[in-house]
Amino acid sequence: EDVERAIVALQRAVELVSPDDPNASVVLFNLGRALGARYGRLGRVADLEQAIAVLQQAVEFAPPNHSIR
């Protein structure tokens, strides 16, 4: 399924991107959204918890004036 493939690819991207990279927050944001979508479809609480944690990281890594904040 597309969401599953997206999650795998985004998890790999998170492993490869440096926290100092300006795109780190965007990669994390996209992973969080994909995990949230899977939660919405399957109802797995673990997906929701992981989505929340990843989205919190995205905000932490985002520059002060980034739209994610």
Side-chain angles (χ1 to χ4, degrees), residues 38-62:
R38 186 167 70 183
Y39 166 74
R41 204 177 73 252
L42 301 177
R44 286 191 243 168
V45 174
D47 286 334
L48 177 60
E49 291 171 344
Q50 189 176 5
I52 291 168
V54 169
L55 289 167
Q56 287 173 333
Q57 277 187 304
V59 171
E60 289 172 19
F61 288 136

Side-chain angles (χ1 to χ4, degrees), residues 21-49:
D21 187 313
N23 293 314
S25 60
V26 174
V27 173
L28 288 163
F29 178 78
N30 288 335
L31 175 57
R33 298 264 311 183
L35 288 163
R38 186 167 70 183
Y39 166 74
R41 204 177 73 252
L42 301 177
R44 286 191 243 168
V45 174
D47 286 334
L48 177 60
E49 291 171 344

